[in-house]
Amino acid sequence: MPSFLPYLYHTLFPPTVRYPDILLIDFGLIMAGIGLLGFMTKTRRWGWLWREWLTTVDHKKIAVMYLIAAIVMLFRGGIDAEMLRAQLALPTTKFMPAAQYDEVFTTHGTIMIFFMAMPFIFALFNAVVPLMIGARDVAFPRINAMSYWLFAFGAILFNISFVIGGSPNAGWTAYPPYTGLAFNPGPGENYYFLALIIAGMGTTMTGVNFLVTTVRMRAPGMTLMRMPMFVWSTMITSALILFAFPPLTVALAMSLFDRLFGSSFFTLTRGGMPMMYVNLFWLFGHPEVYILVIPLFGVFSEVVSTFSKKQLFGYPVMVVSMLAIMFLSYGTWVHHFFTMGAGPAVNAFFGLSTMLIAIPTGVKIFNWIFTMWGGRIQLTVAMLYQLAFIPTFVIGGASGVMLAVVPADYQFHNSYFLIAHFHNVIIGGTLFGLLSGLYYWWPKMFGMKLNERQGKVAFWLFFIGFWITFTPQYLLGLKGMTRRLYTYPIGMGWHELNVISTFGALIMGAAFVALVYNIVWSLLYGEKDLTGDPWNGRTLEWALPSPVPEYNFARIPVVHERDAWWAMKQRGQSLADLKPEDVRDVEMPRNTPIPFLLGASFFVVGFGMTFKFWPIAIMGFVGVILCILFSGFDYEDHHHLKADVIRSTEASLGRLQG
Amino acid sequence: MSQVEQPLTIDEAYNQDNDRALKFLRPRFHEEKFPTIQILGYIGSLILTFGAYFLVMDHVLPPVSLLAVILALAVMQGALQIGVFMHVREGRGLAWQIVPLYLVFLIAMGMVGMSIWIMLFKSGVS
């Protein structure tokens, strides 16, 4: 036996990945993998998978892939959450060792933010933004596919950490010195930094792509103030991404240099400045929380006006308040580390700027309520999430303003009060918004409705489970329980509230099961959407058949006002009155394997650098450079979809006259 | 719809824009056989980067002047990237690009300036 094999074994499979539960998961993963390989081979689906999905540049298919990834990651992050709650339910529990607990809360946070919420948002962007603005695809379809595969391989790199080498364990914020090589020698934090750098590149490219798409690709007549509110929110989110991700990338790369190449940017010795990491991280982190919620403000604006059968109240004010949130969100980041002690001037400035953000947000809340006022409200599942969002987000926002009061923050800081606050806004704002958007746009993405009755069961379980989980955590925070606490002794007065909180977490777990059951049931037996406009919608995506054909619009529509499709319906017009001579050849992007190969190469780079296997990393880098070079000189990147093909497709959908 | 349009000449395209009064913003399109400017820009950006690196590593300057010199190098680097690699002068509607550029400077300066302000606490604490 060669002598390096035991070394390799101990590097790749240290004792921290050999806990019994992880071995059980390994076994399950291997069995599921073999089963999947067998199924794909038996049904001869590999070619189909490669041609239709892995090489696609179609924004609608990329949306579906983002959605699948997001739901799988919601499962993974949810399991982590249930494990945390099981550990904390009772005092002095030994459900898992302390080291594993650290890993689980780290992966829970990282996965939920970067690998669940972000791709879910991009799924909605990709699914509807080009349709809403009357475009055939995003501005840069190939870069869109690259964004997806960079995200996907970043997520895979992050997720294999608990099987190979050990998970990161320094919290989702990865502060030094927890990540310092002296204190944390395993590969876990390398995984974290590399996975986030790779996924972050994809996210930045998505930001560029959707900014250009919304600025340049709108249908004739769609001025900025005629855009649907979701498109506004996409534009603003993209701008936020563009400015917020560079500080993160810099902070992660510098931490990685500290770990791999012996620099000392953030070390405790040799003049390093650990708090500078914290500063850079939150320079990204605060805009990030608005990246997570502004798209959902857009979703709620669409949902509330569709299901109230009214135009959105105060459209210009909504736009201005969203822009105000964008600007203000760059000036608040220090409120995440008031207790650093930057001094009263700094803390007062950032406390005030934080409170200021509550004003435009409050304006939006009132606008949604006034949109409902006097409307004919339909209580669909999407609308129920909207109704649940308003009180939940208001309470979460109010506790945020409490945290912005600097002297009080010295008490609340890193307690369960904070945990309850950010789950309150992220679940109440982001998750409810994502699910609202999922139920709203599902017919457009897949051509059938999600069953409303089952959806309502999932909704109520989520809503009730959420409040049972997180109300006790506010109280626990006030009673002094701090975050990232592995266990606690009897007699602190915490265990009743913790039991209630864990019970709530189980209800949310049941809600997830109900959601997945709803999706699977609806895919098999769901009511088909034959009209393309199941909700009597207002924006252009509902003018198209469901699911939307490859080229989106056979003829690009001309927009004359806000809520263009609603106005067309009022005038008795539709897009289904094509004449054969209206249809022309359409230039479409050609499928390409480059994005997939680029992502795979970055995965190899990431894996090699995580374990300092330099030859592997260099191989990956060569792959990256080859992909970029090939893509740069690939002039065959588009093809012409013939008018006859479009005519026959439209005729089969009954949308062609004569 | 891929209508085959005759591509506009530079002058026609320019005349369609509204910023005729802003003569100095008129786009310039360089078409060269060999990307001399880009290669010089690349070398320049490397010099600026390594200049900053060695200034920090070799402790040649007192801290405050070091900070000032690094910030100056960073501004030069930014101008170089925007001018050489982002081709800021080549394109229609240049006046429109001034607005986002101001925004970029506002946010970048805000981030850098406020970070320095925030991290000054270290001189008082440690």
Side-chain angles (χ1 to χ4, degrees):
Chain A
M1 197 168 78
S3 60
F4 69 88
L5 275 184
Y7 163 77
L8 201 63
Y9 178 73
H10 283 290
T11 313
L12 296 180
F13 303 104
T16 51
V17 302
R18 283 186 265 144
Y19 297 127
D21 51 343
I22 293 182
L23 289 179
L24 191 68
I25 295 170
D26 289 352
F27 178 73
L29 284 176
I30 291 170
M31 284 297 141
I34 292 173
L36 197 65
L37 288 179
F39 175 76
M40 295 291 285
T41 311
K42 189 147 183 271
T43 52
R44 297 170 180 278
R45 297 252 170 113
W46 290 111
W48 164 82
L49 182 72
W50 179 256
R51 281 189 309 275
E52 298 286 321
W53 296 96
L54 301 188
T55 61
T56 188
V57 291
D58 183 349
H59 68 95
K60 300 177 284 295
K61 286 185 176 168
I62 290 173
V64 173
M65 293 195 289
Y66 268 123
L67 187 63
I68 293 168
I71 289 176
V72 171
M73 288 295 103
L74 181 61
F75 175 71
R76 161 90 209 264
I79 292 285
D80 286 346
E82 301 292 344
M83 286 171 76
L84 298 178
R85 285 316 313 169
Q87 168 72 26
L88 290 175
L90 294 169
T92 65
T93 317
K94 292 283 185 295
F95 180 72
M96 52 186 157
Q100 195 186 4
Y101 182 83
D102 293 348
E103 296 177 352
V104 171
F105 73 65
T106 303
T107 50
H108 167 70
T110 314
I111 284 179
M112 282 301 196
I113 302 249
F114 291 103
F115 300 123
M116 189 287 283
M118 305 279 300
F120 212 140
I121 286 167
F122 296 154
L124 297 184
F125 280 6
N126 273 294
V128 292
V129 166
L131 306 180
M132 275 184 157
I133 61 175
R136 293 237 162 80
D137 207 317
V138 294
F140 309 115
R142 183 177 286 197
I143 288 183
N144 199 22
M146 284 181 187
S147 296
Y148 175 74
W149 287 112
L150 286 176
F151 148 73
F153 279 103
I156 294 171
L157 188 66
F158 190 84
N159 276 283
I160 61 167
S161 64
F162 83 101
V163 179
I164 302 171
S167 296
N169 55 5
W172 83 275
T173 48
Y175 282 177
Y178 303 133
T179 58
L181 197 57
F183 310 103
N184 201 344
E189 285 305 319
N190 296 350
Y191 269 123
Y192 173 94
F193 292 127
L194 286 156
L196 255 56
I197 288 173
I198 293 171
M201 283 190 289
T203 307
T204 312
M205 279 150 65
T206 304
V208 174
N209 211 340
F210 277 91
L211 195 56
V212 179
T213 305
T214 49
V215 172
R216 302 289 304 194
M217 304 279 287
R218 301 192 305 271
M222 184 176 277
T223 56
L224 285 178
M225 292 308 271
R226 287 179 190 160
M227 293 196 303
M229 195 50 70
F230 185 61
V231 179
W232 262 112
S233 72
T234 305
M235 187 187 270
I236 288 170
T237 309
S238 304
L240 276 169
I241 287 174
L242 208 53
F243 288 114
F245 268 75
L248 175 73
T249 311
V250 167
L252 297 175
M254 285 159 90
S255 283
L256 193 66
F257 271 48
D258 280 4
R259 290 181 60 83
L260 293 184
F261 306 121
S263 62
S264 40
F265 293 113
F266 306 133
T267 56
L268 292 172
T269 53
R270 300 207 296 159
M273 207 191 231
M275 284 316 285
M276 193 62 200
Y277 175 89
V278 178
N279 181 60
L280 285 172
F281 184 87
W282 288 111
L283 206 55
F284 144 82
H286 201 76
E288 165 72 8
V289 304
Y290 287 94
I291 293 169
L292 290 182
V293 85
I294 283 182
L296 295 319
F297 287 172
V299 171
F300 287 129
S301 302
E302 300 300 330
V303 165
V304 76
S305 80
T306 302
F307 294 115
S308 304
K309 294 280 163 285
K310 273 180 73 188
Q311 198 176 20
L312 186 67
F313 183 90
Y315 177 98
V317 184
M318 287 297 239
V319 173
V320 170
S321 60
M322 217 140 54
L323 286 167
I325 291 173
M326 174 184 131
F327 278 106
L328 289 173
S329 74
Y330 284 110
T332 64
W333 73 91
V334 177
H335 67 215
H336 295 271
F337 50 104
F338 279 147
T339 53
M340 178 177 82
V346 173
N347 281 0
F349 177 91
F350 284 95
L352 280 174
S353 65
T354 307
M355 291 180 205
L356 267 181
I357 283 208
I359 296 171
T361 316
V363 167
K364 300 181 75 66
I365 298 277
F366 280 112
N367 278 335
W368 288 314
I369 293 172
F370 287 137
T371 308
M372 286 185 262
W373 187 279
R376 204 178 304 151
I377 296 176
Q378 293 166 291
L379 287 180
T380 57
V381 179
M383 189 64 186
L384 281 175
Y385 277 113
Q386 149 85 22
L387 291 173
F389 151 80
I390 289 180
T392 313
F393 198 77
V394 166
I395 291 169
S399 64
V401 177
M402 288 169 75
L403 284 159
V405 180
V406 181
D409 182 76
Y410 271 69
Q411 298 301 318
F412 299 139
H413 184 79
N414 272 1
S415 73
Y416 262 79
F417 190 87
L418 167 79
I419 304 293
H421 156 69
F422 73 67
H423 283 90
N424 207 162
V425 282
I426 292 187
I427 294 180
T430 309
L431 186 67
F432 285 4
L434 291 168
L435 294 174
S436 179
L438 183 73
Y439 278 87
Y440 181 52
W441 282 309
W442 184 275
K444 194 46 67 188
M445 290 173 78
F446 295 95
M448 87 284 290
K449 281 165 90 165
L450 286 173
N451 183 289
E452 287 281 308
R453 202 183 164 80
Q454 295 165 4
K456 280 175 188 167
V457 172
F459 163 76
W460 283 110
L461 288 173
F462 262 125
F463 185 59
I464 296 168
F466 164 76
W467 281 108
I468 296 179
T469 312
F470 292 101
T471 317
Q473 295 191 7
Y474 278 118
L475 303 173
L476 280 169
L478 297 178
K479 286 185 171 203
M481 184 165 163
T482 51
R483 77 192 296 194
R484 293 171 182 172
L485 204 63
Y486 156 58
T487 190
Y488 53 93
I490 304 166
M492 303 291 285
W494 294 345
H495 66 272
E496 298 92 341
L497 289 168
N498 270 311
V499 169
I500 298 172
S501 182
T502 300
F503 178 64
L506 290 175
I507 297 180
M508 289 186 79
F512 179 77
V513 175
L515 175 73
V516 172
Y517 178 80
N518 186 6
I519 290 175
V520 174
W521 189 93
S522 304
L523 281 172
L524 294 175
Y525 316 111
E527 180 195 336
K528 290 272 179 293
D529 169 29
L530 300 172
T531 58
D533 189 10
W535 311 118
N536 198 4
R538 310 179 72 84
T539 41
L540 277 177
E541 77 271 27
W542 303 111
L544 296 169
S546 309
V548 181
E550 187 195 353
Y551 47 84
N552 296 356
F553 293 90
R555 180 188 60 196
I556 298 291
V558 179
V559 176
H560 300 288
E561 56 270 289
R562 249 173 244 160
D563 291 347
W565 173 234
W566 182 260
M568 286 164 87
K569 283 191 285 190
Q570 298 301 312
R571 291 196 297 264
Q573 298 170 336
S574 85
L575 296 187
D577 56 352
L578 274 178
K579 296 191 180 56
E581 61 270 22
D582 290 345
V583 180
R584 300 186 197 177
D585 286 3
V586 169
E587 192 180 317
M588 295 296 293
R590 193 191 284 279
N591 285 0
T592 164
I594 291 291
F596 180 80
L597 296 176
L598 185 73
S601 306
F602 266 112
F603 176 82
V604 175
V605 172
F607 188 81
M609 285 180 76
T610 298
F611 290 98
K612 299 201 205 181
F613 295 159
W614 300 117
I616 295 181
I618 289 168
M619 271 161 53
F621 268 120
V622 171
V624 169
I625 290 167
L626 285 179
C627 284
I628 292 172
L629 277 181
F630 186 82
S631 196
F633 292 100
D634 181 15
Y635 297 105
E636 302 280 306
D637 58 353
H638 60 280
H639 66 106
H640 287 272
L641 199 62
K642 292 282 172 246
D644 287 340
V645 179
I646 298 174
R647 278 189 206 110
S648 66
T649 311
E650 292 288 311
S652 72
L653 293 162
R655 295 167 68 88
L656 200 65
Q657 308 286 310
Chain B
M1 251 162 283
S2 71
Q3 277 160 288
V4 184
E5 288 175 9
Q6 283 298 315
L8 301 175
T9 66
I10 292 171
D11 281 318
E12 282 167 354
Y14 175 67
N15 285 328
Q16 281 187 6
D17 289 342
N18 297 322
D19 50 7
R20 230 167 298 174
L22 302 168
K23 202 98 188 167
F24 67 98
L25 288 175
R26 184 174 182 143
R28 284 141 205 242
F29 293 93
H30 295 287
E31 196 167 310
E32 287 166 25
K33 285 266 185 314
F34 192 74
T36 322
I37 294 176
Q38 275 67 34
I39 286 171
L40 287 178
Y42 178 61
I43 294 168
S45 72
L46 286 183
I47 290 172
L48 289 169
T49 307
F50 282 103
Y53 177 77
F54 285 113
L55 283 176
V56 173
M57 293 308 284
D58 293 355
H59 303 283
V60 284
L61 290 170
V64 176
S65 358
L66 179 67
L67 196 61
V69 173
I70 288 181
L71 284 177
L73 291 179
V75 172
M76 282 159 69
Q77 178 81 268
L80 190 144
Q81 296 288 334
I82 290 171
V84 176
F85 296 113
M86 301 197 176
H87 304 262
V88 76
R89 299 202 68 182
E90 302 169 30
R92 292 177 63 188
L94 196 68
W96 286 103
Q97 307 211 5
I98 301 291
V99 180
L101 272 180
Y102 275 133
L103 191 65
V104 168
F105 276 109
L106 190 74
I107 292 178
M109 291 297 145
M111 283 178 170
V112 174
M114 286 211 276
S115 290
I116 292 172
W117 181 42
I118 293 158
M119 298 312 292
L120 280 178
F121 87 105
K122 208 165 175 254
S123 52
V125 176
S126 61

